[in-house]
Amino acid sequence: SQLAAAGITIVSGAGNSGPGWGSLMNPADDAAVIGVAGLDKDGKLAAWSSRGMTLWEEPLGAGRAGVDVITHGEFWGADQHNACQHQWGTSVACPVVVGLLTLLLSSLPERQRNTLLNPAALKQLVYAGSSP
């Protein structure tokens, strides 16, 4: 929340402890963070992707939600030696969201772009641009 107050947007993987309900990890459960879950190579919610509410507040309080968007989290990519490597995980899905936001913001005139450079506005853009 302190980073969000300073205008810094955080995109965080929900975790790779799925599929159980309540497997969501922090900081993806923070309201100021864009929480990302992953799709497998077939475009389905990956079994390894964390989901659901956090459980550590229970039984005395409600859990926190944290998955804001689900995107590709499994694919083949280059490793550090320029060879192919199977990559998977919610951390692999995060750059997809960051890239999307970067491309969107770069297409806007600077004046309009500057009005959107805050965590709440960027999270809203993710929501508005996502489809069920």
Side-chain angles (χ1 to χ4, degrees):
S1 295
Q2 292 174 340
L3 292 173
I8 298 169
T9 301
I10 300 171
V11 177
S12 174
N16 302 322
S17 300
W21 182 257
S23 56
L24 178 66
M25 308 290 282
N26 74 4
D29 65 331
D30 189 303
V33 172
I34 299 172
V36 182
L39 298 173
D40 65 17
K41 63 182 173 28
D42 298 319
K44 296 184 169 118
L45 180 60
W48 42 259
S49 186
S50 294
R51 62 203 75 192
M53 306 289 282
T54 58
L55 297 179
W56 50 77
E57 290 90 353
E58 293 180 352
L60 302 175
R64 291 181 279 177
V67 174
D68 299 302
V69 66
I70 305 169
T71 189
H72 299 283
E74 184 174 8
F75 50 84
W76 286 89
D79 68 9
Q80 64 269 27
H81 305 292
N82 249 1
C84 287
Q85 171 181 317
H86 181 242
Q87 299 176 351
W88 63 273
T90 59
S91 294
V92 172
C94 289
V96 176
V97 176
V98 173
L100 169 79
L101 288 171
T102 302
L103 286 170
L104 177 65
L105 290 170
S106 70
S107 72
L108 300 173
E110 185 175 355
R111 185 173 172 191
Q112 187 178 7
R113 182 172 54 238
N114 289 340
T115 64
L116 296 173
L117 289 178
N118 67 75
L122 293 177
K123 191 169 190 171
Q124 189 61 39
L125 282 174
V126 169
Y127 283 148
S130 299
S131 61

